[in-house]
Amino acid sequence: MAATFKTHIGGAIVELPATVRTIRESLPEDLRKEFNEAVEDCPANELFALLAKWALKPTTGEEEDRAVFEMLERREREFIEEKRREAEKGESG
């Protein structure tokens, strides 16, 4: 039995391929060359994260992650802007 990653996607536990071979096989044909190059050029200490990222590609998990990160970035920008406004208000008041 091949190794798998387990994660939550859309509120459900999903098993994803977790070997270089099974991740490659799960990808659409047009992404396999890009995957091979990414794995071959990846520093060893970053390989786990790279494989997890590619295992998510055929799922909606990558889209969900992107949406979460975009939301967090937006909130961070809003927080920084709010603090900047407060600082300017404090300087003028």
Side-chain angles (χ1 to χ4, degrees):
M1 179 175 197
T4 60
F5 290 123
K6 290 184 182 180
T7 190
H8 289 82
I9 298 176
I13 296 176
V14 177
E15 287 192 52
L16 301 171
T19 67
V20 171
R21 180 184 314 279
T22 58
I23 292 170
R24 182 185 310 110
E25 290 170 352
S26 76
L27 295 170
E29 187 68 38
D30 61 324
L31 291 179
R32 291 179 183 179
K33 182 178 181 210
E34 184 181 346
F35 170 74
N36 289 339
E37 291 171 358
V39 169
E40 290 173 0
D41 294 335
C42 184
N45 64 325
E46 297 174 16
L47 190 56
F48 176 81
L50 179 88
L51 292 176
K53 173 185 154 192
W54 279 92
L56 282 168
K57 280 212 181 274
T59 72
T60 60
E62 185 179 27
E63 294 170 16
E64 289 179 16
D65 286 350
R66 185 176 28 254
V68 168
F69 284 116
E70 287 172 359
M71 181 262 309
L72 291 171
E73 289 172 351
R74 185 178 62 254
R75 286 185 180 175
E76 181 180 28
R77 284 191 307 272
E78 291 169 355
F79 176 79
I80 290 169
E81 181 62 24
E82 180 182 337
K83 293 301 177 186
R84 185 191 61 74
R85 284 192 305 268
E86 289 174 2
E88 288 175 354
K89 189 176 183 180
E91 291 174 1
S92 66

